[in-house]
Amino acid sequence: MRIAVVRGSLMTGLTNRVPLSDSIRSPNVDGMRFNVLAKLGEAVTVRPYVTFVVHNCHVSQLRPAGVNVAQRLYRGSNGNISRNIPRKTQHHHLLQHDKTLIRFCSSKSSASQSQSQSPLAWQIGQYGGNSTLKLTECQMPVIKKANEVLIKQVHAASVNPIDVKNRSGYGAVFLNKARGVKPGDEFPLTLGRDCSGVVAEIGRGVRDIKEGDNVWTTINAVRQGTFADYVIATTDEVGLKPSNLTHIEAASIPYVATTNWSAIYAVAKIRPANALGKRALILGGSGGVGTFGIQLLKAWGVNVTVTCSENAFDLVYGLGAHHAVDYKSPNILEELLKHGQYDLIVNTIGESMEDMSVKLIKEKAYAQYVTLVAPFIDEMEKKGLFAGGLSSSLMLFQKSRKFSALGGTYRWAFAQPNSFALKEVAKLVEDGKIKPVIDETFDFQDLPAAFERVEKGHLRGKVVVNVAHGDLGSHVTGEVPRLFDE
């Protein structure tokens, strides 16, 4: 006869595993912990706290007054642990061959107990495909430096193409060198580069952020990432979340914001003071980086042209682009030149448009070509740090010569955590000049599906993971109205 053994803690918030077992255990209620033994179809009450009904390998929990089921985790049919915060009676599948996690805490002290529970994180133990992603309990991150903050209850995080590449091992040689670890010692590794959440604790040197603040952040790639309940960040990586965005909307912005800031503000040196009247071309304007770049440049007074699929024209025009050209057009060069040559070209898609771009930059005007798809990481992966660095430098020199002959420059740019950028972008968001653009939102337990969506490509904005089941907000998706006056 199959026996369901349910174990948990009402008072301490500790987590216990719940297997289906053929062994017989006696009920044990000591006011702090309990074990429940139930045959299929039998109702068992652990007085005065909670009643369980076991039927068809399911457990139904009836919540009486005074008991708050703060968080419940269970392993679904796909083998992944998932999260539910039930409001009414819920049914949770207990697999015959696996384990289920259930958390309980008293309604009177749920806040302190939630911190005592082991946090969850999506981690990898090796590089590879989506099967390497595992939702696991991990140790609570601890502040170790004066400039660090602990973000509790990460409300939302976004999945970026770099996360998919990192999952497969991209940048491992370079990043492990920066981490100071040997290959393999970086595991278990939590991926994710940006998120939005609430500050739980601050280091003694933190001044502009306080406990309880709603913040957003882009995490340095050498750190444990943001697909987790708790995240450590530094003051160089964190900013106050715009007050007019939900956490889900806010999580869609930090990584693409700092990426664009690096390319446009730091590398190309285009800033609000000198941007007015300039012409910019974004190669790949409908993805996460492109949709943000359109809005940032438009807010600074730049005339913006983008390449994208024709079915994304409504989106990019609604975000403020002045011109859009179908990247599949056989006459793409001629169509782009109709709108004049460009002071800035930002390449988000790769080398396929590079040779053509030489003909598009404004001659003798110190025009900037900035690519966000640089080869030096790939070169280091193939040849090692030293040889890869040398070959990358040679590539940069050769490519720069083509643009410098016309009086322009060729540069690489990379996303860099930047609290100043987040602060300035927050102002633009609160002024209504930048809107979050979200392609699709996934629940935390469905993070592998979010990775698959990003791998498919042809995104219209960002993919966001709803970690804490928060408000979706009113972000831009699909066909959108025009946000700016011409």
Side-chain angles (χ1 to χ4, degrees):
M1 178 180 296
R2 185 175 298 118
I3 302 295
V5 182
V6 182
R7 309 177 69 188
S9 172
L10 286 169
M11 304 301 292
T12 63
L14 298 176
T15 299
N16 295 282
R17 297 186 179 276
V18 185
L20 281 179
S21 171
D22 290 329
S23 64
I24 297 178
R25 303 181 185 221
S26 299
N28 174 22
V29 182
D30 59 11
M32 293 295 289
R33 296 189 180 186
F34 65 93
N35 296 332
V36 177
L37 170 66
K39 298 177 182 179
L40 295 183
E42 180 180 3
V44 177
T45 301
V46 185
R47 287 183 289 267
Y49 302 103
V50 65
T51 299
F52 287 93
V53 180
V54 182
H55 58 93
N56 297 327
C57 297
H58 286 71
V59 172
S60 173
Q61 184 266 328
L62 308 178
R63 184 180 63 181
V67 175
N68 172 32
V69 179
Q71 198 171 55
R72 180 133 1 127
L73 309 173
Y74 65 96
R75 194 180 294 273
S77 59
N78 61 359
N80 291 324
I81 300 171
S82 59
R83 177 196 312 257
N84 248 343
I85 305 179
R87 300 297 180 193
K88 300 180 180 179
T89 300
Q90 298 286 333
H91 297 273
H92 302 288
H93 190 191
L94 298 182
L95 298 179
Q96 297 181 27
H97 61 279
D98 215 327
K99 296 179 177 180
T100 300
L101 298 174
I102 298 180
R103 292 177 176 176
F104 303 92
C105 71
S106 164
S107 59
K108 295 181 180 179
S109 57
S110 59
S112 62
Q113 288 165 7
S114 64
Q115 291 194 29
S116 72
Q117 298 168 356
S118 299
L120 294 177
W122 279 96
Q123 296 182 323
I124 59 174
Q126 62 183 26
Y127 296 116
N130 256 7
S131 62
T132 63
L133 291 166
K134 305 294 182 185
L135 182 57
T136 60
E137 289 186 311
C138 56
Q139 292 184 343
M140 180 71 70
V142 177
I143 289 177
K144 297 179 180 179
K145 296 181 180 179
N147 69 334
E148 290 181 337
V149 301
L150 173 64
I151 301 174
K152 72 174 180 179
Q153 194 182 349
V154 170
H155 283 254
S158 77
V159 181
N160 297 283
I162 191 66
D163 298 316
V164 176
K165 296 175 74 173
N166 288 154
R167 182 206 63 197
S168 301
Y170 175 79
V173 172
F174 177 78
L175 292 174
N176 282 340
K177 182 70 174 178
R179 294 178 183 124
V181 301
K182 296 178 181 178
D185 289 347
E186 69 271 32
F187 302 120
L189 180 63
T190 303
L191 301 175
R193 298 294 298 277
D194 57 357
C195 70
S196 181
V198 181
V199 174
E201 187 180 347
I202 61 174
R204 64 181 182 274
V206 177
R207 297 291 179 266
D208 297 331
I209 300 290
K210 64 182 183 299
E211 293 179 10
D213 279 346
N214 291 299
V215 296
W216 58 358
T217 181
T218 301
I219 300 292
N220 192 301
V222 303
R223 293 178 172 277
Q224 292 287 5
T226 58
F227 300 139
D229 284 332
Y230 290 80
V231 171
I232 291 286
T234 70
T235 52
D236 295 330
E237 301 166 332
V238 174
L240 294 175
K241 178 184 76 68
S243 58
N244 58 335
L245 296 187
T246 68
H247 283 288
I248 289 174
E249 293 170 328
S252 70
I253 291 178
Y255 185 78
V256 294
T258 53
T259 300
N260 274 281
W261 198 270
S262 174
I264 298 169
Y265 187 98
V267 174
K269 300 291 192 296
I270 292 181
R271 281 103 187 256
N274 63 12
L276 185 63
K278 283 185 164 48
R279 299 186 55 81
L281 169 64
I282 299 176
L283 301 175
S286 60
V289 174
T291 53
F292 184 89
I294 292 169
Q295 298 180 82
L296 181 65
L297 289 167
K298 172 74 175 182
W300 289 350
V302 177
N303 184 292
V304 184
T305 300
V306 302
T307 64
C308 60
S309 296
E310 188 174 3
N311 61 17
F313 280 7
D314 286 344
L315 172 64
V316 298
Y317 281 131
L319 295 173
H322 294 83
H323 309 286
V325 174
D326 187 351
Y327 78 96
K328 298 177 183 177
S329 170
N331 303 312
I332 185 171
L333 177 61
E334 290 76 9
E335 291 187 41
L336 287 170
L337 285 173
K338 284 180 184 177
H339 309 300
Q341 291 181 308
Y342 301 92
D343 301 284
L344 170 67
I345 299 177
V346 179
N347 185 351
T348 75
I349 58 177
E351 295 186 11
S352 59
M353 303 278 284
E354 197 166 282
D355 289 338
M356 182 186 69
S357 296
V358 176
K359 303 172 184 177
L360 293 170
I361 64 167
K362 191 176 292 185
E363 296 184 23
K364 308 301 181 183
Y366 196 63
Q368 310 277 316
Y369 175 91
V370 183
T371 179
L372 295 166
V373 191
F376 88 97
I377 293 291
D378 288 324
E379 289 294 299
M380 289 181 183
E381 295 293 319
K382 295 175 186 175
K383 303 175 182 178
L385 290 173
F386 182 73
L390 285 177
S391 62
S392 297
S393 298
L394 180 60
M395 285 185 190
L396 180 60
F397 174 74
Q398 292 172 338
K399 292 175 183 292
S400 296
R401 290 183 62 186
K402 294 189 295 184
F403 286 85
S404 63
L406 299 172
T409 62
Y410 174 96
R411 301 284 182 85
W412 295 340
F414 313 92
Q416 293 289 334
N418 189 324
S419 60
F420 174 74
L422 293 178
K423 181 179 179 180
E424 295 302 305
V425 169
K427 295 177 185 176
L428 294 173
V429 172
E430 291 177 340
D431 289 342
K433 295 180 178 179
I434 290 180
K435 305 284 187 181
V437 184
I438 298 178
D439 180 278
E440 193 168 354
T441 301
F442 292 81
D443 285 337
F444 190 54
Q445 67 264 23
D446 297 325
L447 183 106
F451 268 66
E452 290 175 2
R453 174 66 190 96
V454 173
E455 284 186 282
K456 276 185 180 179
H458 301 289
L459 295 171
R460 301 294 179 259
K462 293 293 297 295
V463 168
V464 177
V465 177
N466 187 358
V467 179
H469 300 278
D471 180 12
L472 296 180
S474 57
H475 49 267
V476 174
T477 57
E479 295 184 3
V480 297
R482 193 169 299 278
L483 302 176
F484 303 96
D485 294 329
E486 293 295 342

